[in-house]
Amino acid sequence: MLRFQTVLHLTTPGTPAHTAIEEALERADDVLLHGRERVRGLREDAEPKCIAETLRACAARVVGDTLPWEVKVDGPERLVGAPVAEELELAVGEALANAVKHARAGMVRVEVHHGRDRLSLRVVDDGVGLPEDVRAAGGREGHFGLTGMRERIERLGGAFAIANAAGQGTSIRLSLPAKIAYR
């Protein structure tokens, strides 16, 4: 870019060559700025995360004002590795979306338990519960939300479980060994 700036000063202002070089330099500046912002973003995204904050932002985005929600934390908070936090956010986001779309719930809660040996999350709603055939099959035919959540958590080396009581809502549990979750 410095060489092109030197060439720009050697050309006569207002000529097609001067204008073309000037426009190319402006675009190159934009590309460099965008690249720097992306690198800065990558570095920030690699930092360990407070999972409660991440899940609060997720709930605000997914549930919003649709129904009351809360994120409760138990145990001394520990930072979670960025890639794990991203996977957990996607899984919890899917569980929250299901509560909004299908549960006819009056509220939804995300519980975070920072254990010494495990990080455990539970998404609980007070809706109609998951039909027994869907729960037993691990999902609905042609739908991949529950299957995707299970695969996402198991791929990390964690455990996934769905439970419900007729008319008392659905509980989705996710847990990961501490050595995988915490960084």
Side-chain angles (χ1 to χ4, degrees):
M1 284 181 53
L2 290 173
R3 286 186 178 190
F4 279 107
Q5 286 173 341
T6 301
V7 171
L8 177 68
H9 294 297
L10 297 174
T11 62
T12 306
T15 63
H18 185 86
T19 303
I21 293 171
E22 196 171 51
E23 289 173 0
L25 283 169
E26 286 175 14
R27 278 186 297 226
D29 254 357
D30 291 343
V31 168
L32 278 175
L33 180 61
H34 180 71
R36 285 187 186 121
E37 288 172 358
R38 297 280 309 254
V39 168
R40 186 177 305 115
L42 288 172
R43 290 180 62 104
E44 289 170 1
D45 287 346
E47 295 296 318
K49 309 278 185 216
C50 170
I51 196 65
E53 287 177 20
T54 299
L55 297 179
R56 282 186 187 101
C58 177
R61 187 177 62 254
V62 174
V63 180
D65 295 334
T66 308
L67 55 107
W69 59 269
E70 67 177 324
V71 175
K72 293 179 72 172
V73 179
D74 177 41
E77 291 191 53
R78 296 172 65 183
L79 295 179
V80 174
V84 171
E86 183 178 330
E87 294 294 326
L88 291 173
E89 180 181 7
L90 290 169
V92 169
E94 181 67 30
L96 292 170
N98 286 345
V100 169
K101 292 178 197 171
H102 306 296
R104 297 194 299 262
M107 63 78 62
V108 65
R109 181 177 62 249
V110 178
E111 299 169 355
V112 180
H113 176 72
H114 290 278
R116 202 175 111 244
D117 298 330
R118 299 191 81 65
L119 170 65
S120 301
L121 306 177
R122 192 167 80 119
V123 181
V124 184
D125 69 61
D126 64 352
V128 296
L130 197 62
E132 183 55 35
D133 62 324
V134 174
R135 193 188 66 72
R140 293 185 200 277
E141 182 72 30
H143 294 257
F144 302 101
L146 293 174
T147 303
M149 280 189 274
R150 178 182 309 280
E151 290 172 351
R152 193 176 295 284
I153 298 308
E154 289 176 352
R155 190 172 45 242
L156 289 172
F160 176 88
I162 303 171
N164 66 337
Q168 295 181 3
T170 303
S171 170
I172 296 179
R173 292 180 184 270
L174 318 168
S175 79
L176 294 171
K179 67 181 180 182
I180 293 171
Y182 303 125
R183 298 290 170 185

